[in-house]
Structures are given as structure tokens and as C-alpha cells.
Amino acid sequence: MIGGGILGACVGWNLTRYGAEVVFIDAGRPGEGVTNWSFSWANASNKTARKSYFDLNVAGMAAHRELARTIGPDSWWNPSGHLRWADDPTAEAKLLETADLLASWDYRAEVYTGAEVRRRLEPALTVPGEVPVVFYPDEAWVHGRHLVGRLVGQAVASGAELRSGTTVCDIGTGADGSIRTVALSDGSRLDVDVVVNAAGPGAAHVAELVARHLPMRREPGVVTRIDCAQVPVHRAMHAPHIEIRPDGDASVVLHSREIDALIDTGEDPTELAQLLHGLARHVVPELGTSRITQTRVVDRPIPADGYPSVGAVPSVPGYYEAVSHSGITLGPVIGRLLASEILSGKRDELLADFRPERFHP
Ligand SMILES: Cc1cc2nc3c(=O)[nH]c(=O)nc-3n(C[C@H](O)[C@H](O)[C@H](O)COP(=O)(O)OP(=O)(O)OC[C@H]3O[C@@H](n4cnc5c(N)ncnc54)[C@H](O)[C@@H]3O)c2cc1C
């Protein structure tokens, strides 16, 4: 397993359960890549552009619930729903139109007023009383690093091996082109039957090791954590201009697509964090006394057309990809489907639109 983020952890955990011998290899430490720097909102409401992608994300949310039943929700699974509202008429009309579309697809969406939200769900918000707020009760936020810790820990307890702090720098193939070995930066070499490229933003580089071109977008994001004596919000939310979610009992995570757009203008990440904090204070004044503790700019792992690349690459027998944005939502379902494909050779219809062969078959 090349990469121990949420995708590698989910595939590896499932393979171990089915009795396969798994070695997790991570250049850093499992769960500390993009998975730890994500808004981490498990949803399908933001995935309406293509129905098959929406369906995959709905399956992703169901797979999270199943996983929580299997390993326990612990601190990683936070099914508290999601709130979204807008501050201009065009965006508000779009939001309500999307909620209607989702309801017609049997996806639960409830519309409240700002006043009702403050009374029933989030007293600390400044959302105006008459503004419509869409509540998606089946959505959640995920503590990605904690989930990865649980999955890799369980897999290792069942016999998997973990090699952290070492990079896959070469992949060897046999005369028939099938995967035989991986070479690591610590000088060791492993004999393998299968490799799974779950290297997140490093996936294009790993694909090159088997002479494959995996085109990826460059789309960086900036995420900030702030410490609070008491976390004043109870769930993830998209307020106008800023996304806010709890991150445990004493921390809040902030992100904004509008602030991401400033990354390439050369703004210092510390300044970007201040901007995020300013936007958040506007929505939740209590966050004004909190302190910025960590900020990171990371690249989203997005194949060039914006959709996941999951499954076998038939021209390189034994080589599989698990590369996706929305990996927090999709990790458990991709993990289950890909592990089953690796062991049985059967390809699930849910992944039909997201096969690696669509790039340079
Ligand atoms: C700002 C932002 C907001 C997001 N918000 C959401 C959201 O709200 N909901 C959602 O579902 N998704 C969201 N995402 C996307 C989601 O976070 C990612 O899709 C997911 O975390 C990717 O997980 P991964 O396992 O592929 O990558 P990573 O977590 O990065 O794991 C890859 C691992 O591979 C290792 N690695 C790389 N190269 C090598 C190598 N050669 N050898 C060995 N190890 C290697 C790295 O060390 C790393 O640990 C967001 C992403 C960003 C950046």
C-alpha cells in the first residue's frame, strides 16, 4: 500500500480483513498528509454535477455509517449534519434549487430560518433571523487522522506491516510487465504481487514509476486550526465566505475557497490564516478570543477531470490506483470496493465512470 492516508488506510484495512498480507508504506506518518488538512465533511450534497458521482458519494456516507458500526465511532465519526446558507439572492436561489433537486433524489434536506437554527441547533451563530438555512441531517464531519490511526492500528494488530518515514522510489516489473518489487528510500526492497497507488498528491509521481501518466490538477487549499476553551459550534457548516467545523473538544477548523484563491498570489500563509479567522469571527463572534495554532497549504489529490481514479490498470498487471478528491467522504466505499476487486478481479458498477483507463488507456 503506497500511502497511509484515508484511502490507503481504508483499502489496506479491508484487504487485511479478507486475509491478504499488507504492507503500508508511508513517506511520513499515516494520516498526516492531506487527510489531516481537510475540511473533512462527509457529504453528497456538493456532488450534484454528475449523478454517478453523487451516487458514489451517497455510498461513501453509507460505508462510513457501516464502518462506525464495525469499529465503533470513537472520536472520528461525527454525524451531526451540515448547515449551509448564503448572503446574496443568486446564491440563495441556487442553494434552494439544489436542496429541491437533492430531495427529488431522496437525499434528506430540511430548510429552516436563521432564527430557528439559532434556537434549535447553533446558538452562537450571527445568521440573520429570516435567512433560509439548509440543514442536511445525514451529513457528518470526520476526524481523518484518528480514523486512519484506528484502521492502520487494527490492520497491524491483525498482521499487516507498517513502514513509516520511507518513500517508494522504484517499482519493478517482470518480463510480462506485471508488478514484482518495490524499492524504498531506506534501501530495502520488497517482493510484492500488487501495489496500490494511494499516494494522494504524490500519486502522479508514483504512477510514473510504472511508466504511466496520471494527469492531476493543481488545486491547493489552505486550512487553519484554532484553539478554543470551549468549541462554540456543534457541526460542520458552509456560512457565506467561510467553512467552519469542530475538530474535537478544544479546536475548530476553518477553510474557504475564496481564501484558497489567494494562495497563488503569493500571500503568506500566516496572513491567509488571519483572513480565515476574521471571516469566522464574523459568523461566530465567540471565535474572536481563540488563537490560531496551525496552518497548512496542501495540494488536493485531484485527477485532471475532477473525478476519482480507482481500480486496476490492465496494461500493468498488479498495479491499482486509489486517487481522489473528496477522499474523506469516499475512503470507506473505495476501500471496500477496491479490496474486493483486487482479491476477486470483479469490477463494481459503482466505479464504472471512475476507472483509471480513461486516462491514456
Ligand atoms: C482544503 C481541503 C479541503 C478538503 N475538504 C474535503 C471535504 O470537506 N470532504 C472530503 O470528502 N474531502 C475533502 N478534501 C479532500 C480529502 O481531504 C482528500 O481527498 C483525502 O484526504 C486524500 O486522502 P489520501 O489518502 O489520498 O491522501 P493523503 O492523506 O495525502 O495520503 C497520502 C499519503 O501518501 C504518502 N506518500 C506520498 N508519496 C509517497 C511515496 N512515494 N512513498 C510512500 N508514501 C508516499 C504521503 O506521505 C501521505 O501520507 C479536502 C482537501 C483539501 C486540501
Side-chain angles (χ1 to χ4, degrees):
M1 188 64 48
I2 306 176
I6 191 165
L7 289 177
C10 287
V11 180
W13 178 80
N14 275 285
L15 283 169
T16 307
R17 286 187 94 207
Y18 294 142
E21 273 179 52
V22 173
V23 183
F24 294 96
I25 303 162
D26 199 288
R29 282 194 300 212
E32 297 197 353
V34 183
T35 296
N36 192 36
W37 296 98
S38 175
F39 186 60
S40 253
W41 163 41
N43 79 94
S45 61
N46 215 24
K47 321 284 169 59
T48 52
R50 196 194 251 191
K51 184 65 166 51
S52 58
Y53 189 50
F54 170 80
D55 291 341
L56 184 64
N57 279 270
V58 169
M61 291 163 65
H64 268 290
R65 288 190 287 270
E66 175 65 32
L67 188 59
R69 283 192 290 275
T70 307
I71 66 170
D74 190 10
S75 56
W76 66 268
W77 176 239
N78 301 277
S80 40
H82 186 87
L83 294 168
R84 189 165 195 151
W85 69 100
D87 66 353
D88 76 82
T90 313
E92 190 175 291
K94 178 89 188 98
L95 181 63
L96 295 173
E97 195 185 299
T98 302
D100 282 347
L101 173 71
L102 288 164
S104 76
W105 289 350
D106 293 329
Y107 192 83
R108 290 209 296 160
E110 298 165 4
V111 182
Y112 296 121
T113 62
E116 284 170 325
V117 164
R118 288 206 308 264
R119 196 169 60 244
R120 297 172 52 174
L121 299 173
E122 295 286 357
L125 301 187
T126 56
V127 53
E130 292 313 310
V131 163
V133 181
V134 182
F135 178 53
Y136 294 105
D138 296 328
E139 297 183 349
W141 70 270
V142 172
H143 198 299
R145 188 163 47 82
H146 289 180
L147 173 56
V148 167
R150 285 293 297 279
L151 294 175
V152 173
Q154 282 200 1
V156 168
S158 306
E161 192 183 337
L162 169 62
R163 297 203 179 195
S164 305
T166 185
T167 303
V168 171
C169 47
D170 195 22
I171 298 176
T173 50
D176 62 351
S178 64
I179 298 295
R180 290 280 187 274
T181 56
V182 295
L184 307 183
S185 58
D186 63 11
S188 57
R189 185 175 292 272
L190 309 176
D191 292 327
V192 297
D193 303 317
V194 161
V195 292
V196 177
N197 178 356
H205 178 67
V206 169
E208 277 167 20
L209 301 178
V210 294
R212 168 170 159 77
H213 177 57
L214 170 62
M216 307 259 294
R217 277 187 198 168
R218 187 176 171 278
E219 217 173 288
V222 56
V223 166
T224 277
R225 284 193 164 83
I226 55 179
D227 269 3
C228 328
Q230 218 173 0
V231 173
V233 291
H234 305 290
R235 53 185 51 73
M237 59 191 73
H238 272 63
H241 318 293
I242 182 79
E243 299 157 28
I244 306 171
R245 70 160 168 88
D247 190 47
D249 293 338
S251 175
V252 165
V253 161
L254 306 177
H255 171 251
S256 165
R257 285 273 180 178
E258 291 170 35
I259 303 299
D260 287 352
L262 302 177
I263 292 171
D264 283 341
T265 62
E267 287 270 5
D268 178 350
T270 316
E271 298 286 324
L272 299 177
Q274 298 286 0
L275 292 172
L276 287 167
H277 195 194
L279 291 167
R281 273 198 305 252
H282 197 64
V283 180
V284 186
E286 277 179 54
L287 291 176
T289 53
S290 49
R291 200 172 50 89
I292 295 170
T293 51
Q294 297 174 301
T295 301
R296 187 75 60 86
V297 175
V298 287
D299 281 322
R300 292 177 170 83
I302 316 188
D305 60 4
Y307 292 103
S309 181
V310 182
V313 173
S315 56
V316 190
Y319 170 82
Y320 295 80
E321 279 173 2
V323 183
S324 183
H325 186 52
S326 278
I328 298 290
T329 306
L330 296 174
V333 69
I334 287 177
R336 180 165 52 74
L337 297 178
L338 185 53
S340 158
E341 177 178 331
I342 291 168
L343 296 175
S344 72
K346 290 201 195 104
R347 293 153 66 106
D348 197 288
E349 263 306 293
L350 257 184
L351 293 175
D353 283 351
F354 311 111
R355 291 275 159 203
E357 303 101 288
R358 72 185 188 278
F359 304 114
H360 310 283

Coordinates of all heavy atoms in Angstrom, one line a residue, residues 1-9 25-43 47 57 166-169 184 198-203 205-206 209 219-223 238 243 255 257 260 298-301 322-330, ligand 1:
M1 N 0.9 -1.2 0.0 CA 0.0 0.0 0.0 C 0.9 1.2 0.0 O 1.6 1.5 1.0 CB -0.9 0.0 1.3 CG -1.9 1.0 1.3 SD -3.1 0.8 0.0 CE -3.5 -1.0 0.2
I2 N 0.9 2.0 -1.1 CA 1.8 3.2 -1.2 C 1.0 4.4 -0.7 O 0.1 4.9 -1.4 CB 2.3 3.4 -2.6 CG1 3.0 2.1 -3.1 CG2 3.3 4.6 -2.6 CD1 3.5 2.2 -4.5
G3 N 1.2 4.8 0.5 CA 0.4 5.9 1.1 C -0.5 5.4 2.2 O -1.3 4.4 2.0
G4 N -0.4 6.1 3.4 CA -1.2 5.7 4.5 C -2.1 6.9 4.9 O -2.3 7.2 6.1
G5 N -2.7 7.5 3.9 CA -3.8 8.5 4.2 C -5.1 7.7 4.3 O -5.2 6.5 4.4
I6 N -6.2 8.5 4.2 CA -7.5 7.8 4.4 C -7.7 6.7 3.3 O -8.3 5.6 3.6 CB -8.7 8.8 4.5 CG1 -9.9 8.0 4.9 CG2 -8.9 9.5 3.2 CD1 -11.1 8.9 5.4
L7 N -7.3 7.0 2.1 CA -7.6 6.0 1.0 C -6.7 4.7 1.2 O -7.3 3.6 1.2 CB -7.3 6.6 -0.3 CG -8.4 7.6 -0.7 CD1 -8.1 8.3 -2.1 CD2 -9.8 7.0 -0.8
G8 N -5.4 4.9 1.5 CA -4.6 3.7 1.7 C -5.0 2.9 2.9 O -5.1 1.7 2.9
A9 N -5.4 3.7 4.0 CA -5.8 3.0 5.2 C -7.1 2.2 5.0 O -7.2 1.0 5.5 CB -6.1 4.0 6.3
I25 N 3.2 1.5 3.4 CA 4.4 2.3 3.2 C 4.0 3.8 3.2 O 3.2 4.2 2.3 CB 5.2 1.9 2.0 CG1 5.5 0.4 2.0 CG2 6.5 2.7 1.9 CD1 5.8 -0.1 0.6
D26 N 4.6 4.6 4.1 CA 4.3 6.0 4.0 C 5.6 6.8 4.2 O 6.3 6.6 5.1 CB 3.3 6.4 5.1 CG 2.6 7.7 4.8 OD1 3.3 8.8 4.9 OD2 1.4 7.7 4.4
A27 N 5.7 7.8 3.3 CA 6.9 8.7 3.3 C 6.9 9.5 4.6 O 8.0 9.8 5.1 CB 6.8 9.7 2.1
G28 N 5.8 9.7 5.2 CA 5.7 10.4 6.5 C 5.1 9.5 7.5 O 5.6 8.4 7.7
R29 N 4.1 10.0 8.2 CA 3.4 9.1 9.1 C 1.9 9.0 8.7 O 1.3 10.0 8.2 CB 3.4 9.7 10.6 CG 4.8 9.4 11.2 CD 4.7 9.7 12.7 NE 4.3 11.1 12.9 CZ 4.8 11.8 14.0 NH1 5.6 11.2 14.9 NH2 4.4 13.0 14.2
P30 N 1.3 7.8 8.9 CA -0.1 7.6 8.4 C -1.0 8.7 8.9 O -1.0 9.0 10.1 CB -0.4 6.2 8.9 CG 0.9 5.5 9.0 CD 1.9 6.6 9.4
G31 N -1.9 9.2 8.0 CA -2.9 10.1 8.4 C -2.4 11.6 8.5 O -3.2 12.5 8.8
E32 N -1.1 11.8 8.3 CA -0.6 13.2 8.5 C -0.4 14.0 7.1 O 0.1 15.0 7.1 CB 0.6 13.2 9.3 CG 0.3 12.6 10.7 CD 1.4 12.9 11.7 OE1 2.4 13.4 11.4 OE2 1.1 12.6 12.9
G33 N -0.9 13.4 6.0 CA -0.9 14.1 4.8 C -2.1 14.9 4.6 O -2.6 15.5 5.6
V34 N -2.7 15.0 3.4 CA -3.9 15.8 3.1 C -5.0 15.5 4.1 O -5.8 16.3 4.5 CB -4.4 15.7 1.7 CG1 -5.5 16.6 1.4 CG2 -3.3 16.0 0.7
T35 N -5.1 14.2 4.4 CA -6.1 13.7 5.3 C -6.2 14.5 6.6 O -7.3 14.7 7.2 CB -5.9 12.2 5.6 OG1 -6.1 11.5 4.3 CG2 -6.9 11.6 6.6
N36 N -5.1 15.0 7.1 CA -5.1 15.8 8.3 C -5.3 17.3 8.1 O -5.4 18.1 9.0 CB -3.7 15.6 9.0 CG -3.7 16.1 10.5 OD1 -4.8 16.0 11.2 ND2 -2.7 16.7 10.9
W37 N -5.4 17.7 6.7 CA -5.5 19.1 6.4 C -6.7 19.2 5.4 O -6.6 19.8 4.4 CB -4.2 19.6 5.8 CG -3.2 19.5 6.8 CD1 -2.2 18.6 7.0 CD2 -3.0 20.4 7.9 NE1 -1.5 18.8 8.2 CE2 -2.0 20.0 8.7 CE3 -3.7 21.6 8.3 CZ2 -1.6 20.6 9.9 CZ3 -3.3 22.3 9.5 CH2 -2.2 21.8 10.2
S38 N -7.8 18.7 5.9 CA -9.0 18.6 5.0 C -10.1 19.3 5.8 O -10.1 19.3 7.0 CB -9.3 17.1 4.8 OG -10.5 17.0 4.1
F39 N -11.1 19.8 5.1 CA -12.3 20.3 5.8 C -13.1 19.1 6.3 O -13.8 19.2 7.3 CB -13.2 21.2 4.9 CG -14.3 21.8 5.7 CD1 -14.1 22.6 6.8 CD2 -15.6 21.5 5.4 CE1 -15.1 23.2 7.5 CE2 -16.7 22.1 6.1 CZ -16.4 22.9 7.2
S40 N -12.9 17.9 5.7 CA -13.4 16.6 6.2 C -14.9 16.5 6.4 O -15.3 16.0 7.4 CB -12.7 16.4 7.6 OG -11.7 15.4 7.5
W41 N -15.6 17.0 5.5 CA -17.1 17.0 5.5 C -17.5 15.8 4.7 O -17.2 15.8 3.5 CB -17.5 18.3 5.0 CG -18.9 18.5 4.5 CD1 -20.1 18.0 5.1 CD2 -19.4 19.3 3.4 NE1 -21.2 18.5 4.4 CE2 -20.8 19.2 3.3 CE3 -18.7 20.0 2.4 CZ2 -21.5 19.9 2.4 CZ3 -19.4 20.6 1.4 CH2 -20.8 20.5 1.4
A42 N -18.2 14.8 5.3 CA -18.7 13.7 4.5 C -20.1 14.1 4.0 O -21.0 14.3 4.7 CB -18.8 12.5 5.5
N43 N -20.2 14.2 2.7 CA -21.4 14.7 2.1 C -21.6 14.2 0.6 O -20.6 13.8 0.0 CB -21.3 16.2 2.0 CG -20.5 16.7 0.9 OD1 -21.0 17.0 -0.2 ND2 -19.2 16.8 1.1
K47 N -22.1 17.3 -4.6 CA -21.7 16.5 -5.7 C -22.8 16.2 -6.7 O -23.0 15.1 -7.2 CB -21.2 15.1 -5.1 CG -20.5 15.2 -3.8 CD -19.0 15.7 -4.0 CE -18.4 16.0 -2.7 NZ -18.3 14.9 -1.7
N57 N -20.9 9.1 -3.8 CA -20.7 9.8 -2.5 C -21.8 9.3 -1.5 O -21.5 9.3 -0.3 CB -20.7 11.3 -2.7 CG -19.3 11.8 -3.2 OD1 -18.5 12.1 -2.4 ND2 -19.1 11.7 -4.5
T166 N 9.5 6.2 5.0 CA 10.3 5.7 3.9 C 9.5 5.8 2.6 O 8.3 5.6 2.7 CB 10.8 4.3 4.2 OG1 11.7 3.9 3.1 CG2 9.7 3.3 4.3
T167 N 10.1 6.2 1.6 CA 9.4 6.6 0.3 C 9.6 5.5 -0.7 O 10.7 4.9 -0.8 CB 10.0 7.9 -0.2 OG1 9.9 8.9 0.8 CG2 9.3 8.3 -1.5
V168 N 8.5 5.1 -1.4 CA 8.7 4.2 -2.6 C 9.4 5.0 -3.7 O 8.8 6.0 -4.2 CB 7.3 3.7 -3.0 CG1 7.4 2.9 -4.3 CG2 6.7 2.8 -1.9
C169 N 10.6 4.5 -4.1 CA 11.3 5.3 -5.1 C 11.4 4.5 -6.4 O 11.8 5.0 -7.4 CB 12.6 5.8 -4.6 SG 13.6 4.5 -3.7
L184 N 12.5 0.9 -1.6 CA 12.2 2.0 -0.7 C 13.5 2.9 -0.5 O 14.6 2.4 -0.6 CB 11.8 1.5 0.7 CG 10.6 0.5 0.6 CD1 10.2 0.0 2.0 CD2 9.4 1.1 -0.1
A198 N -1.9 4.9 -3.5 CA -2.8 5.7 -2.7 C -2.0 6.9 -2.1 O -2.1 7.2 -1.0 CB -3.4 4.9 -1.6
A199 N -1.1 7.5 -3.0 CA -0.1 8.4 -2.6 C -0.7 9.9 -2.6 O 0.1 10.8 -2.4 CB 1.1 8.3 -3.4
G200 N -2.0 10.1 -2.7 CA -2.5 11.4 -2.6 C -1.9 12.3 -3.6 O -1.8 12.0 -4.8
P201 N -1.5 13.5 -3.2 CA -0.9 14.5 -4.2 C 0.3 13.9 -4.8 O 0.8 14.4 -5.9 CB -0.6 15.7 -3.3 CG -1.3 15.6 -2.1 CD -1.6 14.1 -1.8
G202 N 1.0 12.9 -4.2 CA 2.2 12.3 -4.8 C 1.8 11.2 -5.8 O 2.7 10.5 -6.4
A203 N 0.5 11.0 -6.2 CA 0.1 9.8 -7.0 C 0.7 9.9 -8.4 O 1.0 8.8 -9.0 CB -1.4 9.7 -7.0
H205 N 3.5 11.0 -9.4 CA 4.9 10.6 -9.4 C 5.0 9.1 -9.2 O 5.8 8.5 -9.9 CB 5.6 11.3 -8.2 CG 7.0 10.9 -8.1 ND1 7.9 11.3 -9.0 CD2 7.6 10.2 -7.1 CE1 9.1 10.7 -8.6 NE2 8.9 10.1 -7.5
V206 N 4.1 8.5 -8.4 CA 4.2 7.1 -8.2 C 3.8 6.4 -9.5 O 4.4 5.4 -9.9 CB 3.3 6.6 -7.0 CG1 3.1 5.1 -7.0 CG2 3.9 7.1 -5.7
L209 N 6.4 5.7 -11.9 CA 7.3 4.6 -11.7 C 6.9 3.4 -12.4 O 7.7 2.5 -12.6 CB 7.4 4.3 -10.1 CG 7.8 5.5 -9.2 CD1 7.8 5.1 -7.8 CD2 9.2 5.9 -9.6
E219 N -4.5 22.2 -7.4 CA -5.6 23.0 -6.8 C -5.3 23.0 -5.3 O -5.9 22.2 -4.5 CB -6.9 22.3 -7.0 CG -8.1 23.3 -7.3 CD -9.4 22.6 -7.7 OE1 -9.4 22.2 -8.9 OE2 -10.3 22.5 -6.9
P220 N -4.4 23.9 -4.8 CA -4.1 23.9 -3.4 C -5.2 24.5 -2.5 O -6.0 25.3 -3.0 CB -2.8 24.8 -3.4 CG -2.9 25.7 -4.6 CD -3.7 24.9 -5.6
G221 N -5.2 24.1 -1.3 CA -6.1 24.7 -0.3 C -5.4 25.0 1.0 O -4.3 24.5 1.3
V222 N -5.9 26.0 1.7 CA -5.3 26.4 3.0 C -6.3 26.1 4.1 O -7.5 26.5 4.0 CB -4.8 27.8 3.0 CG1 -5.9 28.8 2.6 CG2 -4.1 28.2 4.3
V223 N -5.8 25.4 5.2 CA -6.6 25.1 6.3 C -6.0 25.6 7.6 O -4.8 25.5 7.7 CB -6.8 23.5 6.3 CG1 -7.4 23.1 7.7 CG2 -7.8 23.1 5.2
H238 N -21.2 25.5 6.0 CA -20.8 26.5 5.0 C -21.6 27.8 5.2 O -22.7 27.9 4.8 CB -21.2 26.0 3.6 CG -20.1 25.1 3.0 ND1 -19.7 23.9 3.5 CD2 -19.3 25.2 1.9 CE1 -18.8 23.3 2.8 NE2 -18.5 24.1 1.8
E243 N -16.0 28.3 5.7 CA -16.5 27.0 6.2 C -15.9 26.7 7.6 O -14.7 27.0 7.8 CB -16.0 25.8 5.3 CG -16.5 26.0 3.9 CD -15.6 25.3 2.9 OE1 -14.9 24.3 3.2 OE2 -15.6 25.7 1.7
H255 N -11.8 26.9 6.7 CA -11.4 26.8 5.3 C -12.3 27.7 4.5 O -13.4 27.9 4.9 CB -11.5 25.3 4.8 CG -11.3 25.2 3.4 ND1 -12.3 24.9 2.5 CD2 -10.1 25.4 2.6 CE1 -11.8 24.9 1.2 NE2 -10.5 25.1 1.3
R257 N -12.9 28.5 0.1 CA -12.5 28.5 -1.3 C -12.0 29.9 -1.8 O -11.1 30.0 -2.6 CB -13.6 28.1 -2.2 CG -13.9 26.6 -2.1 CD -13.0 25.8 -3.1 NE -13.3 24.4 -3.1 CZ -12.7 23.5 -3.9 NH1 -11.8 23.9 -4.8 NH2 -12.9 22.3 -3.8
D260 N -8.5 30.2 -0.6 CA -7.7 29.3 -1.4 C -7.2 30.0 -2.7 O -6.1 29.9 -3.2 CB -8.4 28.0 -1.9 CG -8.6 27.1 -0.7 OD1 -8.1 27.3 0.4 OD2 -9.4 26.1 -0.9
V298 N -1.9 22.8 1.3 CA -1.7 21.4 0.7 C -2.4 21.4 -0.6 O -3.3 22.1 -0.9 CB -2.3 20.3 1.6 CG1 -1.5 20.1 2.9 CG2 -3.8 20.6 2.0
D299 N -1.8 20.4 -1.4 CA -2.4 20.2 -2.8 C -3.5 19.2 -2.7 O -3.3 18.1 -2.1 CB -1.3 19.7 -3.7 CG -0.5 20.8 -4.2 OD1 -1.0 21.9 -4.5 OD2 0.7 20.6 -4.4
R300 N -4.7 19.5 -3.3 CA -5.7 18.4 -3.3 C -5.3 17.3 -4.3 O -4.7 17.7 -5.4 CB -7.0 19.1 -3.9 CG -7.7 20.1 -2.9 CD -8.9 20.7 -3.6 NE -9.6 21.5 -2.6 CZ -9.4 22.7 -2.2 NH1 -8.4 23.3 -2.8 NH2 -10.1 23.3 -1.4
P301 N -5.6 16.1 -4.0 CA -5.2 15.0 -4.9 C -6.4 14.8 -5.9 O -7.2 14.0 -5.8 CB -5.1 13.8 -4.0 CG -5.9 14.1 -2.8 CD -6.1 15.6 -2.7
A322 N -5.9 4.4 -6.3 CA -7.0 4.9 -5.4 C -6.6 6.3 -5.1 O -6.0 6.7 -4.1 CB -7.0 4.1 -4.1
V323 N -7.0 7.2 -6.1 CA -6.6 8.6 -6.0 C -7.9 9.4 -6.2 O -8.6 9.3 -7.2 CB -5.7 8.9 -7.2 CG1 -5.2 10.4 -7.1 CG2 -4.5 8.0 -7.2
S324 N -8.2 10.3 -5.2 CA -9.4 11.0 -5.3 C -9.5 12.3 -4.4 O -9.0 12.3 -3.3 CB -10.6 10.1 -4.9 OG -11.8 10.8 -5.0
H325 N -10.1 13.3 -5.0 CA -10.6 14.4 -4.1 C -11.8 13.8 -3.4 O -12.3 12.7 -3.7 CB -10.9 15.6 -4.9 CG -11.3 16.8 -4.0 ND1 -10.5 17.2 -3.0 CD2 -12.3 17.6 -4.0 CE1 -11.0 18.2 -2.4 NE2 -12.2 18.5 -2.9
S326 N -12.4 14.6 -2.4 CA -13.5 14.0 -1.6 C -13.1 12.7 -1.0 O -14.0 11.8 -0.8 CB -14.8 13.9 -2.4 OG -15.4 15.1 -2.5
G327 N -11.9 12.5 -0.8 CA -11.4 11.2 -0.3 C -11.9 10.9 1.2 O -12.0 9.8 1.6
I328 N -12.2 12.0 1.9 CA -12.8 11.7 3.2 C -14.1 11.1 3.1 O -14.4 10.1 3.8 CB -12.9 13.1 4.0 CG1 -11.5 13.7 4.2 CG2 -13.6 12.9 5.3 CD1 -10.5 13.0 5.1
T329 N -15.0 11.6 2.2 CA -16.3 11.0 2.0 C -16.2 9.6 1.4 O -16.9 8.7 1.8 CB -17.1 11.9 1.1 OG1 -17.2 13.2 1.6 CG2 -18.6 11.4 0.9
L330 N -15.2 9.5 0.5 CA -15.2 8.3 -0.3 C -14.3 7.1 0.2 O -14.4 6.0 -0.3 CB -14.8 8.6 -1.8 CG -15.7 9.6 -2.5 CD1 -15.1 10.0 -3.9 CD2 -17.0 8.9 -2.8
Ligands
LIG1 C1 -8.5 22.2 1.7 C2 -9.1 20.9 1.5 C3 -10.4 20.6 1.9 C4 -11.0 19.4 1.7 N1 -12.3 19.1 2.1 C5 -12.8 17.9 1.9 C6 -14.1 17.7 2.4 O1 -14.7 18.5 3.1 N2 -14.7 16.4 2.2 C7 -14.0 15.4 1.6 O2 -14.5 14.3 1.4 N3 -12.7 15.7 1.1 C8 -12.1 16.9 1.3 N4 -10.9 17.1 0.8 C9 -10.2 16.0 0.1 C10 -9.6 15.0 1.0 O3 -9.0 15.6 2.1 C11 -8.6 14.1 0.2 O4 -9.3 13.6 -0.9 C12 -8.1 12.9 1.1 O5 -7.6 13.3 2.3 C13 -7.0 12.2 0.3 O6 -6.5 11.2 1.1 P1 -5.3 10.3 0.5 O7 -5.2 9.1 1.4 O8 -5.5 10.1 -1.0 O9 -4.0 11.3 0.6 P2 -3.1 11.7 1.8 O10 -3.8 11.8 3.1 O11 -2.2 12.8 1.4 O12 -2.2 10.4 2.0 C14 -1.2 10.1 1.0 C15 0.0 9.5 1.8 O13 0.9 9.0 0.8 C16 2.2 9.2 1.3 N5 3.1 9.2 0.1 C17 3.1 10.0 -1.0 N6 4.0 9.6 -1.9 C18 4.6 8.5 -1.4 C19 5.7 7.7 -1.8 N7 6.3 7.8 -3.0 N8 6.1 6.6 -1.0 C20 5.4 6.5 0.2 N9 4.4 7.3 0.7 C21 4.0 8.3 -0.1 C22 2.2 10.6 2.0 O14 3.2 10.7 3.0 C23 0.7 10.6 2.6 O15 0.7 10.2 3.9 C24 -10.2 18.3 1.0 C25 -8.9 18.6 0.7 C26 -8.3 19.8 0.9 C27 -6.9 20.0 0.6

